[in-house]
PDB file of all heavy atoms in Angstrom:
ATOM      1  N   MET A   1      26.173  -5.599  20.935  1.00  0.00           N
ATOM      2  CA  MET A   1      27.241  -5.444  19.960  1.00  0.00           C
ATOM      3  C   MET A   1      26.852  -4.335  18.979  1.00  0.00           C
ATOM      4  O   MET A   1      25.688  -4.138  18.695  1.00  0.00           O
ATOM      5  CB  MET A   1      27.465  -6.754  19.204  1.00  0.00           C
ATOM      6  CG  MET A   1      27.698  -7.932  20.131  1.00  0.00           C
ATOM      7  SD  MET A   1      29.225  -7.813  21.035  1.00  0.00           S
ATOM      8  CE  MET A   1      30.385  -8.303  19.794  1.00  0.00           C
ATOM      9  N   ALA A   2      27.865  -3.667  18.461  1.00  0.00           N
ATOM     10  CA  ALA A   2      27.588  -2.593  17.512  1.00  0.00           C
ATOM     11  C   ALA A   2      26.984  -3.181  16.233  1.00  0.00           C
ATOM     12  O   ALA A   2      27.139  -4.371  15.944  1.00  0.00           O
ATOM     13  CB  ALA A   2      28.886  -1.858  17.179  1.00  0.00           C
ATOM     14  N   HIS A  17      26.279 -11.402  21.569  1.00  0.00           N
ATOM     15  CA  HIS A  17      27.494 -11.173  22.370  1.00  0.00           C
ATOM     16  C   HIS A  17      28.015 -12.458  23.024  1.00  0.00           C
ATOM     17  O   HIS A  17      29.098 -12.438  23.593  1.00  0.00           O
ATOM     18  CB  HIS A  17      27.264 -10.051  23.407  1.00  0.00           C
ATOM     19  CG  HIS A  17      26.682 -10.496  24.710  1.00  0.00           C
ATOM     20  ND1 HIS A  17      27.121 -10.005  25.916  1.00  0.00           N
ATOM     21  CD2 HIS A  17      25.699 -11.367  24.996  1.00  0.00           C
ATOM     22  CE1 HIS A  17      26.414 -10.557  26.889  1.00  0.00           C
ATOM     23  NE2 HIS A  17      25.555 -11.389  26.367  1.00  0.00           N
ATOM     24  N   ARG A  21      27.377 -19.811  23.232  1.00  0.00           N
ATOM     25  CA  ARG A  21      26.284 -20.487  23.931  1.00  0.00           C
ATOM     26  C   ARG A  21      25.473 -21.380  23.000  1.00  0.00           C
ATOM     27  O   ARG A  21      24.848 -22.323  23.442  1.00  0.00           O
ATOM     28  CB  ARG A  21      25.336 -19.439  24.531  1.00  0.00           C
ATOM     29  CG  ARG A  21      25.628 -19.075  25.947  1.00  0.00           C
ATOM     30  CD  ARG A  21      24.398 -18.508  26.633  1.00  0.00           C
ATOM     31  NE  ARG A  21      23.972 -17.245  26.083  1.00  0.00           N
ATOM     32  CZ  ARG A  21      24.163 -16.072  26.690  1.00  0.00           C
ATOM     33  NH1 ARG A  21      24.772 -16.018  27.838  1.00  0.00           N
ATOM     34  NH2 ARG A  21      23.732 -14.972  26.145  1.00  0.00           N
ATOM     35  N   ASP A  43      15.927   7.326  27.125  1.00  0.00           N
ATOM     36  CA  ASP A  43      17.131   8.171  27.087  1.00  0.00           C
ATOM     37  C   ASP A  43      17.828   8.131  25.732  1.00  0.00           C
ATOM     38  O   ASP A  43      18.976   8.563  25.618  1.00  0.00           O
ATOM     39  CB  ASP A  43      18.102   7.807  28.218  1.00  0.00           C
ATOM     40  CG  ASP A  43      18.659   6.418  28.051  1.00  0.00           C
ATOM     41  OD1 ASP A  43      18.003   5.595  27.389  1.00  0.00           O
ATOM     42  OD2 ASP A  43      19.753   6.152  28.569  1.00  0.00           O
ATOM     43  N   HIS A  60      17.511 -14.175  28.115  1.00  0.00           N
ATOM     44  CA  HIS A  60      17.153 -12.953  27.399  1.00  0.00           C
ATOM     45  C   HIS A  60      18.423 -12.132  27.194  1.00  0.00           C
ATOM     46  O   HIS A  60      19.018 -11.654  28.148  1.00  0.00           O
ATOM     47  CB  HIS A  60      16.130 -12.161  28.220  1.00  0.00           C
ATOM     48  CG  HIS A  60      15.508 -11.034  27.473  1.00  0.00           C
ATOM     49  ND1 HIS A  60      16.069  -9.792  27.444  1.00  0.00           N
ATOM     50  CD2 HIS A  60      14.391 -10.965  26.698  1.00  0.00           C
ATOM     51  CE1 HIS A  60      15.309  -9.002  26.707  1.00  0.00           C
ATOM     52  NE2 HIS A  60      14.289  -9.690  26.242  1.00  0.00           N
ATOM     53  N   SER A  61      18.853 -12.008  25.945  1.00  0.00           N
ATOM     54  CA  SER A  61      20.101 -11.295  25.622  1.00  0.00           C
ATOM     55  C   SER A  61      19.775 -10.183  24.646  1.00  0.00           C
ATOM     56  O   SER A  61      19.326 -10.438  23.525  1.00  0.00           O
ATOM     57  CB  SER A  61      21.100 -12.281  25.005  1.00  0.00           C
ATOM     58  OG  SER A  61      22.254 -11.614  24.589  1.00  0.00           O
ATOM     59  N   GLN A  62      19.979  -8.952  25.071  1.00  0.00           N
ATOM     60  CA  GLN A  62      19.516  -7.818  24.262  1.00  0.00           C
ATOM     61  C   GLN A  62      20.563  -6.707  24.210  1.00  0.00           C
ATOM     62  O   GLN A  62      21.188  -6.375  25.212  1.00  0.00           O
ATOM     63  CB  GLN A  62      18.217  -7.265  24.851  1.00  0.00           C
ATOM     64  CG  GLN A  62      17.526  -6.266  23.955  1.00  0.00           C
ATOM     65  CD  GLN A  62      16.092  -6.039  24.356  1.00  0.00           C
ATOM     66  OE1 GLN A  62      15.750  -6.098  25.525  1.00  0.00           O
ATOM     67  NE2 GLN A  62      15.231  -5.766  23.386  1.00  0.00           N
ATOM     68  N   THR A  63      20.714  -6.153  23.027  1.00  0.00           N
ATOM     69  CA  THR A  63      21.668  -5.066  22.789  1.00  0.00           C
ATOM     70  C   THR A  63      20.942  -3.735  22.665  1.00  0.00           C
ATOM     71  O   THR A  63      19.862  -3.673  22.084  1.00  0.00           O
ATOM     72  CB  THR A  63      22.452  -5.337  21.489  1.00  0.00           C
ATOM     73  OG1 THR A  63      23.268  -6.484  21.672  1.00  0.00           O
ATOM     74  CG2 THR A  63      23.327  -4.154  21.099  1.00  0.00           C
ATOM     75  N   ALA A  64      21.554  -2.699  23.217  1.00  0.00           N
ATOM     76  CA  ALA A  64      21.064  -1.334  23.032  1.00  0.00           C
ATOM     77  C   ALA A  64      22.190  -0.520  22.407  1.00  0.00           C
ATOM     78  O   ALA A  64      23.318  -0.578  22.892  1.00  0.00           O
ATOM     79  CB  ALA A  64      20.639  -0.727  24.370  1.00  0.00           C
ATOM     80  N   VAL A  65      21.899   0.189  21.333  1.00  0.00           N
ATOM     81  CA  VAL A  65      22.947   0.937  20.630  1.00  0.00           C
ATOM     82  C   VAL A  65      22.699   2.435  20.738  1.00  0.00           C
ATOM     83  O   VAL A  65      21.563   2.900  20.790  1.00  0.00           O
ATOM     84  CB  VAL A  65      23.047   0.530  19.133  1.00  0.00           C
ATOM     85  CG1 VAL A  65      23.392  -0.940  19.006  1.00  0.00           C
ATOM     86  CG2 VAL A  65      21.764   0.832  18.392  1.00  0.00           C
ATOM     87  N   MET A  66      23.798   3.171  20.765  1.00  0.00           N
ATOM     88  CA  MET A  66      23.723   4.625  20.785  1.00  0.00           C
ATOM     89  C   MET A  66      23.590   5.102  19.338  1.00  0.00           C
ATOM     90  O   MET A  66      24.356   4.662  18.475  1.00  0.00           O
ATOM     91  CB  MET A  66      24.997   5.192  21.422  1.00  0.00           C
ATOM     92  CG  MET A  66      24.934   6.665  21.713  1.00  0.00           C
ATOM     93  SD  MET A  66      26.397   7.215  22.633  1.00  0.00           S
ATOM     94  CE  MET A  66      26.004   6.640  24.271  1.00  0.00           C
ATOM     95  N   THR A  76      34.162  12.062  22.091  1.00  0.00           N
ATOM     96  CA  THR A  76      34.715  11.101  23.051  1.00  0.00           C
ATOM     97  C   THR A  76      34.560   9.646  22.605  1.00  0.00           C
ATOM     98  O   THR A  76      34.921   8.738  23.353  1.00  0.00           O
ATOM     99  CB  THR A  76      34.056  11.256  24.434  1.00  0.00           C
ATOM    100  OG1 THR A  76      32.656  10.967  24.313  1.00  0.00           O
ATOM    101  CG2 THR A  76      34.248  12.644  24.985  1.00  0.00           C
ATOM    102  N   ALA A  78      35.747   6.454  20.671  1.00  0.00           N
ATOM    103  CA  ALA A  78      37.090   6.027  20.267  1.00  0.00           C
ATOM    104  C   ALA A  78      37.237   6.054  18.748  1.00  0.00           C
ATOM    105  O   ALA A  78      36.399   5.496  18.042  1.00  0.00           O
ATOM    106  CB  ALA A  78      37.358   4.618  20.789  1.00  0.00           C
ATOM    107  N   PRO A  79      38.292   6.701  18.220  1.00  0.00           N
ATOM    108  CA  PRO A  79      38.467   6.775  16.765  1.00  0.00           C
ATOM    109  C   PRO A  79      39.002   5.467  16.192  1.00  0.00           C
ATOM    110  O   PRO A  79      39.556   4.635  16.920  1.00  0.00           O
ATOM    111  CB  PRO A  79      39.502   7.898  16.604  1.00  0.00           C
ATOM    112  CG  PRO A  79      40.302   7.834  17.856  1.00  0.00           C
ATOM    113  CD  PRO A  79      39.351   7.407  18.936  1.00  0.00           C
ATOM    114  N   ASN A  91      35.114   6.615  14.443  1.00  0.00           N
ATOM    115  CA  ASN A  91      34.693   5.233  14.710  1.00  0.00           C
ATOM    116  C   ASN A  91      33.639   4.829  13.673  1.00  0.00           C
ATOM    117  O   ASN A  91      32.623   5.505  13.521  1.00  0.00           O
ATOM    118  CB  ASN A  91      34.100   5.149  16.119  1.00  0.00           C
ATOM    119  CG  ASN A  91      33.853   3.733  16.577  1.00  0.00           C
ATOM    120  OD1 ASN A  91      33.273   2.936  15.854  1.00  0.00           O
ATOM    121  ND2 ASN A  91      34.292   3.430  17.780  1.00  0.00           N
ATOM    122  N   HIS A  97      25.261   3.626  12.998  1.00  0.00           N
ATOM    123  CA  HIS A  97      24.224   3.855  14.005  1.00  0.00           C
ATOM    124  C   HIS A  97      23.381   5.091  13.665  1.00  0.00           C
ATOM    125  O   HIS A  97      22.175   5.114  13.924  1.00  0.00           O
ATOM    126  CB  HIS A  97      24.863   4.000  15.386  1.00  0.00           C
ATOM    127  CG  HIS A  97      25.421   2.694  15.898  1.00  0.00           C
ATOM    128  ND1 HIS A  97      25.760   2.480  17.211  1.00  0.00           N
ATOM    129  CD2 HIS A  97      25.704   1.532  15.258  1.00  0.00           C
ATOM    130  CE1 HIS A  97      26.221   1.244  17.355  1.00  0.00           C
ATOM    131  NE2 HIS A  97      26.206   0.666  16.180  1.00  0.00           N
ATOM    132  N   ILE A 118       4.776   6.740  39.501  1.00  0.00           N
ATOM    133  CA  ILE A 118       3.496   6.217  39.998  1.00  0.00           C
ATOM    134  C   ILE A 118       3.102   6.988  41.249  1.00  0.00           C
ATOM    135  O   ILE A 118       3.895   7.121  42.187  1.00  0.00           O
ATOM    136  CB  ILE A 118       3.616   4.720  40.334  1.00  0.00           C
ATOM    137  CG1 ILE A 118       3.969   3.940  39.068  1.00  0.00           C
ATOM    138  CG2 ILE A 118       2.350   4.197  40.971  1.00  0.00           C
ATOM    139  CD1 ILE A 118       4.324   2.494  39.334  1.00  0.00           C
ATOM    140  N   GLN A 120       1.481   7.211  44.606  1.00  0.00           N
ATOM    141  CA  GLN A 120       1.096   6.247  45.631  1.00  0.00           C
ATOM    142  C   GLN A 120      -0.036   6.814  46.486  1.00  0.00           C
ATOM    143  O   GLN A 120       0.121   7.863  47.112  1.00  0.00           O
ATOM    144  CB  GLN A 120       2.300   5.933  46.530  1.00  0.00           C
ATOM    145  CG  GLN A 120       3.401   5.199  45.802  1.00  0.00           C
ATOM    146  CD  GLN A 120       2.955   3.806  45.373  1.00  0.00           C
ATOM    147  OE1 GLN A 120       2.510   3.015  46.178  1.00  0.00           O
ATOM    148  NE2 GLN A 120       3.071   3.509  44.090  1.00  0.00           N
TER     149      GLN A 120
ATOM    150  N   ALA B  57      38.669   1.711  19.502  1.00  0.00           N
ATOM    151  CA  ALA B  57      37.518   1.411  18.649  1.00  0.00           C
ATOM    152  C   ALA B  57      37.508  -0.065  18.275  1.00  0.00           C
ATOM    153  O   ALA B  57      38.541  -0.634  17.924  1.00  0.00           O
ATOM    154  CB  ALA B  57      37.569   2.266  17.385  1.00  0.00           C
ATOM    155  N   GLN B  60      36.045  -4.520  23.183  1.00  0.00           N
ATOM    156  CA  GLN B  60      34.920  -4.751  24.083  1.00  0.00           C
ATOM    157  C   GLN B  60      35.410  -4.835  25.522  1.00  0.00           C
ATOM    158  O   GLN B  60      36.550  -5.187  25.767  1.00  0.00           O
ATOM    159  CB  GLN B  60      34.239  -6.086  23.768  1.00  0.00           C
ATOM    160  CG  GLN B  60      33.639  -6.176  22.408  1.00  0.00           C
ATOM    161  CD  GLN B  60      33.222  -7.600  22.090  1.00  0.00           C
ATOM    162  OE1 GLN B  60      33.345  -8.495  22.909  1.00  0.00           O
ATOM    163  NE2 GLN B  60      32.718  -7.799  20.901  1.00  0.00           N
ATOM    164  N   LYS B  62      33.903  -6.686  29.098  1.00  0.00           N
ATOM    165  CA  LYS B  62      32.880  -7.641  29.533  1.00  0.00           C
ATOM    166  C   LYS B  62      32.836  -7.736  31.054  1.00  0.00           C
ATOM    167  O   LYS B  62      33.845  -7.498  31.717  1.00  0.00           O
ATOM    168  CB  LYS B  62      33.163  -9.026  28.947  1.00  0.00           C
ATOM    169  CG  LYS B  62      32.927  -9.135  27.444  1.00  0.00           C
ATOM    170  CD  LYS B  62      33.347 -10.479  26.914  1.00  0.00           C
ATOM    171  CE  LYS B  62      33.012 -10.646  25.444  1.00  0.00           C
ATOM    172  NZ  LYS B  62      31.580 -10.913  25.217  1.00  0.00           N
ATOM    173  N   SER B  74       3.275  -2.951  41.161  1.00  0.00           N
ATOM    174  CA  SER B  74       3.797  -3.259  39.833  1.00  0.00           C
ATOM    175  C   SER B  74       4.386  -1.988  39.219  1.00  0.00           C
ATOM    176  O   SER B  74       3.812  -0.908  39.353  1.00  0.00           O
ATOM    177  CB  SER B  74       2.669  -3.795  38.959  1.00  0.00           C
ATOM    178  OG  SER B  74       3.117  -3.992  37.658  1.00  0.00           O
ATOM    179  N   VAL B  89      36.245   7.370  27.092  1.00  0.00           N
ATOM    180  CA  VAL B  89      35.786   7.107  25.726  1.00  0.00           C
ATOM    181  C   VAL B  89      34.363   6.537  25.793  1.00  0.00           C
ATOM    182  O   VAL B  89      34.073   5.657  26.599  1.00  0.00           O
ATOM    183  CB  VAL B  89      36.709   6.141  24.945  1.00  0.00           C
ATOM    184  CG1 VAL B  89      38.000   6.827  24.551  1.00  0.00           C
ATOM    185  CG2 VAL B  89      36.997   4.884  25.724  1.00  0.00           C
ATOM    186  N   THR B  90      33.490   7.088  24.965  1.00  0.00           N
ATOM    187  CA  THR B  90      32.081   6.700  25.008  1.00  0.00           C
ATOM    188  C   THR B  90      31.844   5.446  24.180  1.00  0.00           C
ATOM    189  O   THR B  90      32.259   5.385  23.028  1.00  0.00           O
ATOM    190  CB  THR B  90      31.210   7.855  24.467  1.00  0.00           C
ATOM    191  OG1 THR B  90      31.435   9.006  25.272  1.00  0.00           O
ATOM    192  CG2 THR B  90      29.735   7.494  24.514  1.00  0.00           C
ATOM    193  N   VAL B  92      29.652   2.553  21.984  1.00  0.00           N
ATOM    194  CA  VAL B  92      28.608   2.686  20.958  1.00  0.00           C
ATOM    195  C   VAL B  92      27.451   1.729  21.209  1.00  0.00           C
ATOM    196  O   VAL B  92      26.394   1.885  20.605  1.00  0.00           O
ATOM    197  CB  VAL B  92      29.173   2.477  19.531  1.00  0.00           C
ATOM    198  CG1 VAL B  92      30.153   3.590  19.190  1.00  0.00           C
ATOM    199  CG2 VAL B  92      29.820   1.113  19.371  1.00  0.00           C
ATOM    200  N   SER B  93      27.646   0.721  22.076  1.00  0.00           N
ATOM    201  CA  SER B  93      26.525  -0.175  22.389  1.00  0.00           C
ATOM    202  C   SER B  93      26.789  -0.912  23.697  1.00  0.00           C
ATOM    203  O   SER B  93      27.922  -0.981  24.172  1.00  0.00           O
ATOM    204  CB  SER B  93      26.294  -1.191  21.268  1.00  0.00           C
ATOM    205  OG  SER B  93      27.318  -2.150  21.245  1.00  0.00           O
ATOM    206  N   VAL B  94      25.715  -1.475  24.242  1.00  0.00           N
ATOM    207  CA  VAL B  94      25.820  -2.309  25.438  1.00  0.00           C
ATOM    208  C   VAL B  94      24.841  -3.476  25.280  1.00  0.00           C
ATOM    209  O   VAL B  94      23.732  -3.301  24.778  1.00  0.00           O
ATOM    210  CB  VAL B  94      25.528  -1.510  26.730  1.00  0.00           C
ATOM    211  CG1 VAL B  94      24.157  -0.845  26.689  1.00  0.00           C
ATOM    212  CG2 VAL B  94      25.624  -2.415  27.956  1.00  0.00           C
ATOM    213  N   THR B  95      25.293  -4.660  25.658  1.00  0.00           N
ATOM    214  CA  THR B  95      24.440  -5.856  25.608  1.00  0.00           C
ATOM    215  C   THR B  95      24.403  -6.474  26.999  1.00  0.00           C
ATOM    216  O   THR B  95      25.446  -6.579  27.652  1.00  0.00           O
ATOM    217  CB  THR B  95      25.014  -6.893  24.616  1.00  0.00           C
ATOM    218  OG1 THR B  95      25.190  -6.270  23.349  1.00  0.00           O
ATOM    219  CG2 THR B  95      24.077  -8.087  24.466  1.00  0.00           C
ATOM    220  N   ILE B  96      23.208  -6.859  27.440  1.00  0.00           N
ATOM    221  CA  ILE B  96      23.098  -7.588  28.701  1.00  0.00           C
ATOM    222  C   ILE B  96      22.296  -8.858  28.455  1.00  0.00           C
ATOM    223  O   ILE B  96      21.513  -8.937  27.501  1.00  0.00           O
ATOM    224  CB  ILE B  96      22.419  -6.771  29.821  1.00  0.00           C
ATOM    225  CG1 ILE B  96      21.020  -6.334  29.379  1.00  0.00           C
ATOM    226  CG2 ILE B  96      23.266  -5.613  30.252  1.00  0.00           C
ATOM    227  CD1 ILE B  96      20.153  -5.887  30.529  1.00  0.00           C
ATOM    228  N   ASP B  97      22.493  -9.859  29.313  1.00  0.00           N
ATOM    229  CA  ASP B  97      21.655 -11.047  29.232  1.00  0.00           C
ATOM    230  C   ASP B  97      21.248 -11.479  30.644  1.00  0.00           C
ATOM    231  O   ASP B  97      21.623 -10.833  31.636  1.00  0.00           O
ATOM    232  CB  ASP B  97      22.341 -12.173  28.444  1.00  0.00           C
ATOM    233  CG  ASP B  97      23.586 -12.717  29.122  1.00  0.00           C
ATOM    234  OD1 ASP B  97      23.638 -12.754  30.369  1.00  0.00           O
ATOM    235  OD2 ASP B  97      24.518 -13.128  28.400  1.00  0.00           O
ATOM    236  N   THR B  98      20.487 -12.566  30.702  1.00  0.00           N
ATOM    237  CA  THR B  98      20.004 -13.069  31.998  1.00  0.00           C
ATOM    238  C   THR B  98      20.550 -14.474  32.232  1.00  0.00           C
ATOM    239  O   THR B  98      19.849 -15.350  32.723  1.00  0.00           O
ATOM    240  CB  THR B  98      18.460 -13.087  32.029  1.00  0.00           C
ATOM    241  OG1 THR B  98      17.995 -13.877  30.915  1.00  0.00           O
ATOM    242  CG2 THR B  98      17.888 -11.691  31.914  1.00  0.00           C
ATOM    243  N   SER B  99      21.817 -14.674  31.852  1.00  0.00           N
ATOM    244  CA  SER B  99      22.387 -16.026  31.851  1.00  0.00           C
ATOM    245  C   SER B  99      22.720 -16.542  33.249  1.00  0.00           C
ATOM    246  O   SER B  99      22.880 -17.738  33.429  1.00  0.00           O
ATOM    247  CB  SER B  99      23.647 -16.046  30.985  1.00  0.00           C
ATOM    248  OG  SER B  99      24.584 -15.091  31.431  1.00  0.00           O
ATOM    249  N   THR B 109      11.748  -8.085  32.672  1.00  0.00           N
ATOM    250  CA  THR B 109      12.937  -8.239  31.817  1.00  0.00           C
ATOM    251  C   THR B 109      13.871  -7.050  32.020  1.00  0.00           C
ATOM    252  O   THR B 109      13.423  -5.901  31.929  1.00  0.00           O
ATOM    253  CB  THR B 109      12.513  -8.322  30.341  1.00  0.00           C
ATOM    254  OG1 THR B 109      11.601  -9.406  30.196  1.00  0.00           O
ATOM    255  CG2 THR B 109      13.714  -8.538  29.444  1.00  0.00           C
ATOM    256  N   SER B 113      20.176   1.614  30.199  1.00  0.00           N
ATOM    257  CA  SER B 113      20.023   3.026  29.824  1.00  0.00           C
ATOM    258  C   SER B 113      21.260   3.771  30.318  1.00  0.00           C
ATOM    259  O   SER B 113      22.138   3.185  30.951  1.00  0.00           O
ATOM    260  CB  SER B 113      18.747   3.618  30.442  1.00  0.00           C
ATOM    261  OG  SER B 113      18.806   3.552  31.850  1.00  0.00           O
ATOM    262  N   GLN B 114      21.307   5.057  30.003  1.00  0.00           N
ATOM    263  CA  GLN B 114      22.391   5.943  30.482  1.00  0.00           C
ATOM    264  C   GLN B 114      23.779   5.408  30.129  1.00  0.00           C
ATOM    265  O   GLN B 114      24.692   5.403  30.973  1.00  0.00           O
ATOM    266  CB  GLN B 114      22.278   6.161  32.005  1.00  0.00           C
ATOM    267  CG  GLN B 114      20.919   6.612  32.481  1.00  0.00           C
ATOM    268  CD  GLN B 114      20.483   7.932  31.883  1.00  0.00           C
ATOM    269  OE1 GLN B 114      21.314   8.794  31.599  1.00  0.00           O
ATOM    270  NE2 GLN B 114      19.210   8.102  31.622  1.00  0.00           N
ATOM    271  N   LEU B 115      23.954   4.987  28.898  1.00  0.00           N
ATOM    272  CA  LEU B 115      25.267   4.487  28.457  1.00  0.00           C
ATOM    273  C   LEU B 115      26.235   5.656  28.319  1.00  0.00           C
ATOM    274  O   LEU B 115      25.991   6.588  27.549  1.00  0.00           O
ATOM    275  CB  LEU B 115      25.106   3.753  27.121  1.00  0.00           C
ATOM    276  CG  LEU B 115      26.364   3.150  26.503  1.00  0.00           C
ATOM    277  CD1 LEU B 115      26.978   2.106  27.423  1.00  0.00           C
ATOM    278  CD2 LEU B 115      26.032   2.539  25.144  1.00  0.00           C
ATOM    279  N   THR B 140      28.269  -6.878  27.877  1.00  0.00           N
ATOM    280  CA  THR B 140      29.352  -6.531  26.958  1.00  0.00           C
ATOM    281  C   THR B 140      29.177  -5.095  26.516  1.00  0.00           C
ATOM    282  O   THR B 140      28.097  -4.737  26.034  1.00  0.00           O
ATOM    283  CB  THR B 140      29.341  -7.438  25.706  1.00  0.00           C
ATOM    284  OG1 THR B 140      29.434  -8.802  26.094  1.00  0.00           O
ATOM    285  CG2 THR B 140      30.508  -7.096  24.777  1.00  0.00           C
TER     286      THR B 140
END
Side-chain angles (χ1 to χ4, degrees):
Chain A
M1 306 293 282
H17 87 139
R21 266 203 294 255
D43 66 336
H60 191 272
S61 175
Q62 191 164 33
T63 294
V65 299
M66 190 174 283
T76 63
N91 190 312
H97 290 196
I118 298 171
Q120 293 294 305
Chain B
Q60 297 169 2
K62 289 175 175 284
S74 175
V89 287
T90 301
V92 295
S93 72
V94 56
T95 305
I96 58 164
D97 66 33
T98 56
S99 56
T109 303
S113 61
Q114 308 300 328
L115 180 61
T140 303

